[in-house]
Amino acid sequence: MNVRRGACVFALCIGLSMGAAEARRASDEAAAIRAVMAAQQAAWNRGDVEDFMHGYKDASDTTFVGSTVRKGYRAILASYREHYATKEQMGRLTFSGIDVRLLPDANGTVHYAAVTGRFHLDRAAHGSVAQDDGVYSLLWEKTEAGWKIILDHSS
């Protein structure tokens, strides 16, 4: 009976440590995504659209959904350059309410994540002061270059 009880305690300890390790990995993945978003926010607030775009996957199927649908990294970058041509037009961006939801596959490996939250933008738009508030949902992919946005729906 003592051997059985010892085996149960051992199995429980192993299970708890594996659960703790998995929770730590999930926390690390979420932190990595949040770090990319913090870098994007900082780049935007410096007026650096190109650096902001480093958070997106440089691929032809990367998609931005807003008032229109734009496909491809280059098309999204061109649109940002057109609509936010100056630092004043870009203004000051803040993200809030960031919720990172990791999407593990059947084996428990995480290659994708869904992120939702709010954005706030204070800026000068075509000579007048504007505030834009909205929500976003982002689909992220874990790539060799780190976490990258592959689908951005902002409204």
Side-chain angles (χ1 to χ4, degrees), residues 4 9 16 29 40 50 60 64 66 142 147 151:
R4 185 178 292 162
V9 169
L16 289 175
E29 297 294 357
Q40 283 187 297
E50 284 76 15
S60 61
F64 181 93
K142 188 174 184 180
W147 283 99
L151 174 64

Side-chain angles (χ1 to χ4, degrees), residues 15-138:
L16 289 175
S17 68
M18 288 175 62
E22 183 158 323
R24 210 171 20 259
R25 276 193 303 276
S27 178
D28 291 348
E29 297 294 357
I33 290 170
R34 289 174 186 275
V36 173
M37 292 185 72
Q40 283 187 297
Q41 181 176 294
W44 187 273
N45 293 338
R46 285 192 314 274
D48 190 342
V49 171
E50 284 76 15
D51 200 24
F52 173 81
M53 284 294 296
H54 287 152
Y56 289 83
K57 185 176 180 183
D58 188 348
S60 61
D61 59 349
T62 296
T63 304
F64 181 93
V65 179
S67 58
T68 62
V69 176
R70 290 175 211 86
K71 277 205 175 252
Y73 181 91
R74 301 283 177 239
I76 296 167
L77 175 58
S79 178
Y80 274 126
R81 283 182 179 151
E82 178 185 343
H83 292 99
Y84 301 98
T86 66
K87 186 175 182 343
E88 293 73 31
Q89 287 176 336
M90 290 178 75
R92 180 151 184 81
L93 173 66
T94 53
F95 294 123
S96 63
I98 299 170
D99 179 41
V100 178
R101 194 171 309 161
L102 300 177
L103 306 172
D105 64 16
N107 298 320
T109 305
V110 175
H111 296 287
Y112 297 96
V115 177
T116 57
R118 300 192 62 77
F119 69 87
H120 176 77
L121 190 58
D122 285 312
R123 64 192 180 97
H126 309 292
S128 63
V129 176
Q131 290 188 353
D132 293 325
D133 290 294
V135 294
Y136 58 84
S137 59
L138 308 170

